[in-house]
């Protein structure tokens, strides 16, 4: 006899009751009619974990929930002992590896304390009152915040219906008095891509004094056979293009704060002006070098993310929810109920998800956790009272 969804949820319960129910939960899923199925709710090799006040499940900052590789962890531990010295050879080593990886000259690379610092450098170099920033809405907000703090006008153009950058509207906005255009590809918070060919055509039409920053923080998570192509994997011969990348995502080093930009030697020289040229720690630089060497771990990270994203979508579909097709390590979901309530409900259950986005105000953003973490998310989700989905 089928067990009703509500009954199952009551049986599962929260808090202490969840602990007792965990063994039974392994391999358990709810299908779209609310009946229990024995599918891939938790992978057999991953014991599910609890979300507690002291140890919440963090699905809010698009971090790599698996952390860095064992090899990188080893280098991190070793490098701490050298923390009494300022950087000496570490930057050159890392820049040399990045230059080989991207087939550019070392003088084309700028390191930053996270790619967030690169965004700050770009703001300081290319924006000033009278030279505005053009970006998408919604997109990663840091560059816009730097610009606003400097009294610079920010023009935010809504994504198009496919959640791509609306490049033609951005072009109109950038025709006059523009210092910088910011393109995040894949975009945060939507996880969507803007086709390479469209970006190329867009750049070709921009006024010659406008610089373009392409933020490829989530590059590694894009599924093959999409219209996406990195501007580092295949260079685009236009000196106005800067590409930023980070070690915070696929390499699992968000807390180590390290990222970089690739640009022409002239721009690379100009970018760090006004910033300390030693903001990357010795430990971070050495860890980043080791992470670049550990190509198997990068492959594993891509595979894990692909599987985790698919499993997330299976759970979304089982609940008849809607989600934006993501090419990143997070997904925007229409929860069919007010996002504020969902964020609050999950928080009470010690699950932290992304903030609300005014431009996509019916959606929430969920970063993908490990197979051991996600059951806690879905358990908390299923505790929410049913809604009238037709009304949303
Ligand atoms: C699109 C994008 N760019 C840049 C960053 C900044 O990353 P970090 O400073 O950790 O390199 C983030 C962080 O989430 C991001 O989503």
């Amino acid at each position: 006899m089928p067990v009703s969804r509500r009954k199952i949820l009551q049986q599962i319960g929260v808090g202490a009751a969840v602990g007792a129910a965990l063994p039974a939960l392994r391999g358990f899923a709810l299908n779209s009619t609310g009946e229990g199925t024995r599918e891939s709710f938790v992978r057999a090799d991953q014991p599910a974990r609890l979300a507690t006040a002291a140890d919440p499940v963090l699905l809010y900052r698009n971090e790599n929930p698996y952390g860095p590789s064992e090899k990188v962890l080893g280098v991190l531990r070793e490098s701490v002992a050298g923390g009494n010295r300022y950087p000496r050879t570490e930057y050159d080593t890392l820049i040399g590896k990045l230059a080989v990886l991207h087939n550019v000259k070392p003088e084309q690379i700028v390191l930053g304390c996270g790619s967030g610092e690169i965004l700050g450098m770009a703001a300081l170099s290319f924006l000033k009152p009278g030279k505005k920033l053009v970006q998408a809405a919604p997109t990663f907000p840091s560059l816009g915040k730097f610009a606003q703090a400097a009294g610079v006008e920010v023009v935010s153009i809504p994504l198009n219906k496919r959640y791509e950058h609306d490049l033609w509207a951005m072009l109109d906005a950038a025709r006059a008095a523009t210092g910088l255009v910011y393109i995040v590809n894949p975009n945060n918070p939507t996880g969507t891509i803007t086709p390479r060919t469209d970006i190329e055509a867009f750049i070709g039409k921009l006024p010659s004094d406008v610089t373009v920053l392409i933020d490829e923080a989530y590059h590694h998570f894009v599924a093959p056979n999409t219209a996406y192509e990195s501007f580092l994997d295949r260079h685009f011969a236009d000196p106005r293009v800067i590409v930023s990348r980070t070690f915070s995502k696929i390499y699992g080093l968000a807390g180590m704060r390290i990222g970089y930009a690739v640009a022409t030697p002239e721009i690379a020289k100009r970018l760090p002006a006004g910033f300390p040229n030693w903001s990357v720690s010795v430990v971070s630089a050495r860890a980043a070098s080791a992470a670049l060497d550990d190509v198997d771990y990068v492959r594993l990270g891509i595979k894990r993310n692909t599987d985790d994203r698919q499993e997330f979508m299976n759970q979304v579909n089982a609940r008849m929810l809607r989600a934006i097709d993501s090419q990143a390590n997070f997904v925007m979901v229409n929860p069919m109920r007010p996002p504020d309530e969902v964020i609050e409900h999950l928080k009470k259950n010690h699950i932290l998800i992304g903030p609300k986005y005014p431009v996509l105000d019916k959606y929430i953003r969920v970063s993908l956790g490990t197979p051991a973490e996600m059951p806690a998310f879905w358990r908390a989700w299923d505790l929410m009272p049913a809604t009238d989905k037709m009304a949303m």
Side-chain angles (χ1 to χ4, degrees):
M1 195 179 66
V3 186
S4 83
R5 174 183 164 131
R6 191 161 290 282
K7 199 155 194 176
I8 291 163
L9 298 177
Q10 279 165 357
Q11 281 167 3
I12 293 167
V14 264
V18 171
L22 271 180
L25 253 179
R26 199 162 298 174
F28 187 84
L30 296 174
N31 68 19
S32 56
T33 59
E35 292 167 2
T37 60
R38 298 201 65 80
E39 284 168 5
S40 48
F41 199 79
V42 181
R43 286 186 212 150
D45 56 339
Q46 299 275 344
R49 59 159 285 202
L50 297 180
T52 63
D55 190 16
V57 170
L58 303 177
L59 309 177
Y60 67 157
R61 287 180 172 166
N62 307 341
E63 296 150 339
N64 180 335
Y66 297 92
S69 73
E70 279 305 321
K71 285 183 190 158
V72 172
L73 281 174
V75 170
L76 280 167
R77 284 186 206 105
E78 264 170 36
S79 309
V80 172
N84 59 317
R85 300 286 177 198
Y86 287 116
R88 210 163 51 88
T89 55
E90 291 80 6
Y91 290 3
D92 287 347
T93 304
L94 175 58
I95 286 173
K97 284 179 195 280
L98 288 168
V100 171
L101 177 67
H102 297 309
N103 196 19
V104 294
K105 298 192 193 100
E107 55 269 30
Q108 291 183 253
I109 291 166
V110 180
L111 299 180
C113 178
S115 60
E117 191 178 42
I118 300 289
L119 302 183
M121 291 177 187
L124 207 69
S125 296
F126 299 104
L127 299 173
K128 58 183 179 194
K131 280 279 183 194
K132 64 180 180 281
L133 169 70
V134 176
Q135 62 175 13
T139 199
F140 185 61
S142 280
L143 187 44
K145 286 184 187 164
F146 281 122
Q148 273 161 352
V152 170
E153 186 191 351
V154 179
V155 178
S156 299
I157 305 286
L159 299 171
N160 68 19
K161 286 196 182 106
R162 293 182 297 279
Y163 302 105
E164 298 162 357
H165 287 60
D166 187 343
L167 294 171
W168 311 122
M170 288 174 81
L171 184 61
D172 278 344
R175 283 197 203 280
T178 300
L180 188 65
V181 173
Y182 182 43
I183 297 175
V184 181
N185 206 24
N187 189 43
N188 177 8
T190 50
T192 45
I193 57 152
T194 299
R196 158 93 183 210
T197 47
D198 294 352
I199 300 175
E200 285 184 10
F202 165 76
I203 295 170
K205 292 194 166 62
L206 276 179
S208 59
D209 61 341
V210 178
T211 304
V212 182
L213 174 56
I214 303 178
D215 183 335
E216 295 188 353
Y218 300 98
H219 156 78
H220 292 89
F221 302 118
V222 180
N225 304 318
T226 61
Y228 170 85
E229 200 179 354
S230 162
F231 278 72
L232 288 182
D233 288 356
R234 182 160 64 86
H235 296 167
F236 181 57
D238 191 307
R240 295 170 298 169
V241 174
I242 305 170
V243 182
S244 63
R245 290 267 185 105
T246 181
F247 284 92
S248 298
K249 310 299 175 181
I250 193 73
Y251 300 107
L253 290 169
M256 298 310 298
R257 311 304 306 121
I258 178 160
Y260 61 98
V262 180
T264 61
E266 296 70 33
I267 290 184
K269 203 165 179 186
R270 175 176 167 189
L271 261 184
F275 282 77
N277 59 0
W278 57 82
S279 63
V280 172
S281 79
V282 165
V283 178
S284 306
R286 290 194 57 193
S289 284
L292 290 179
D293 290 342
D294 200 349
V295 286
D296 285 343
Y297 193 72
V298 171
R299 271 191 219 112
L300 176 64
I302 294 168
K303 162 98 177 69
R304 280 171 164 166
N305 190 68
T306 305
D307 292 349
D308 295 344
R309 198 165 56 196
Q310 183 57 56
E311 174 59 17
F312 186 84
M313 292 309 292
N314 293 347
Q315 298 298 333
V316 163
N317 293 336
R319 289 164 180 80
M320 290 187 289
L321 302 167
R322 273 185 249 132
I324 297 175
D325 187 21
S326 171
Q327 297 294 323
N329 62 345
F330 52 86
V331 181
M332 278 206 115
V333 182
N334 181 337
M336 309 288 186
R337 32 166 75 80
D340 288 330
E341 284 177 20
V342 178
I343 293 168
E344 209 33 52
H345 165 83
L346 291 171
K347 196 169 165 191
K348 277 195 196 124
N349 286 278
H350 316 301
I351 314 277
L352 305 186
I353 63 166
K356 193 173 146 185
Y357 288 85
V359 181
L360 278 177
D361 62 358
K362 286 195 165 27
Y363 284 80
I364 54 166
R365 191 196 67 192
V366 184
S367 308
L368 299 172
T370 64
E373 289 171 326
M374 292 315 286
F377 170 83
W378 289 115
R379 269 199 305 278
W381 185 282
D382 288 334
L383 293 172
M384 286 189 286
T387 53
D388 175 5
K389 291 190 175 149
M390 302 310 284
M392 295 300 289

